Amino acid sequence: MKLYGYWRSSAAYRVRIALNLKQLSFENLPVHLIKNGGEQHSISYKALNPAELVPTFTDGDISLNQSLAIIEYLEEMYPEPALLPQDPAAKAKVRALALDIACDIHPLNNLRVLQYLSGTLALTDEAKTAWIQHWLHTGFNALEQRLRRSAGQYCFADTLTLADICLVPQVYNAQRFALDMTAYPIISAIHHHCQQLAAFALAAPEQQPDAQ
């Protein structure tokens, strides 16, 4: 197994957590999103992933992009420990929480969006930070309300799931952009609990070989 990623990529971070939780060995292959104009734009990487995004995951002849698709592949191939409940309704609720983060919150503070704000639109650093914090607050406000109904130690009761794998990297982003987390005690408590687990600690951006 090979994982092409970037140390600070939230999506790659999710996959690292899942691989660690399932205790799977993999080769971590850095794709630096800043150096040399962005290594994701290289001819060799574009051949692997035409979207020029990370992560890309390969397992023999299989090549996958999209972090949640990669994690669900791992879930099917290596079902223990389970990252999704067996009950269809519970499984759908966990997927919905994960998608709230991965599809609604994360894309608005992704690198290529921020580069467009700074570059093409010529926003100041202050304006860019305001943009990021606005959309983080919008997403976290809704997520915190949902978690009031579903959370225990983790996003879904006391069982670690795909939702937690998505939540931790998103909180890392929020902390990076100095978001005030006071209004989100449930999100903060789940994040703190997950951070005590080795699978999450080893997947942390600062622990990666390409960390800058």
Side-chain angles (χ1 to χ4, degrees):
M1 294 182 188
K2 297 179 180 180
L3 178 64
Y4 297 81
Y6 177 59
W7 67 286
R8 211 158 55 185
S9 160
S10 297
Y13 191 175
R14 295 174 201 142
V15 179
R16 293 194 301 265
I17 294 168
L19 286 161
N20 291 344
L21 285 168
K22 292 184 178 291
Q23 298 184 26
L24 297 171
S25 298
F26 65 99
E27 186 177 358
N28 194 343
L29 299 171
V31 178
H32 204 290
L33 302 186
I34 305 296
K35 286 182 179 177
N36 305 315
E39 294 175 356
Q40 72 275 25
H41 304 308
S42 68
I43 293 172
S44 60
Y45 189 74
K46 279 179 69 174
L48 188 65
N49 187 338
E52 302 173 41
L53 296 170
V54 295
T56 300
F57 172 84
T58 63
D59 184 12
D61 294 334
I62 296 167
S63 180
L64 297 169
N65 66 314
Q66 292 295 347
S67 62
L68 269 61
I70 295 166
I71 294 169
E72 292 221 27
Y73 167 79
L74 296 173
E75 180 77 349
E76 295 286 341
M77 295 296 293
Y78 307 94
E80 296 297 331
L83 301 177
L84 289 165
Q86 290 300 308
D87 175 71
K91 185 181 294 185
K93 288 178 181 178
V94 168
R95 282 194 173 118
L97 288 168
L99 291 167
D100 281 336
I101 299 166
C103 295
D104 289 344
I105 301 175
H106 171 239
L108 290 168
N109 52 78
N110 200 13
L111 176 64
R112 63 179 179 174
V113 172
L114 303 186
Q115 288 177 331
Y116 183 78
L117 294 174
S118 296
T120 304
L121 298 184
L123 265 63
T124 64
D125 287 344
E126 292 78 9
K128 185 175 74 171
T129 298
W131 158 282
I132 296 165
Q133 292 186 348
H134 169 79
W135 291 115
L136 284 170
H137 277 305
T138 299
F140 276 10
N141 282 331
L143 183 62
E144 183 79 9
Q145 291 179 53
R146 289 192 176 96
L147 291 174
R148 288 174 192 160
R149 300 192 292 269
S150 69
Q153 287 187 315
Y154 298 105
C155 291
F156 192 76
D158 293 325
T159 303
L160 195 155
T161 67
L162 177 63
D164 305 291
I165 291 172
C166 291
L167 181 138
V168 167
Q170 193 57 58
V171 173
Y172 174 87
N173 272 351
Q175 292 172 336
R176 177 184 166 207
F177 293 111
L179 190 77
D180 182 359
M181 295 292 293
T182 306
Y184 314 116
I186 302 173
I187 291 173
S188 297
I190 294 167
H191 174 261
H192 176 76
H193 187 74
C194 289
Q195 291 291 71
Q196 311 311 305
L197 304 177
F200 286 81
L202 291 171
E206 288 76 15
Q207 300 301 314
Q208 306 316 304
D210 56 326
Q212 303 273 321

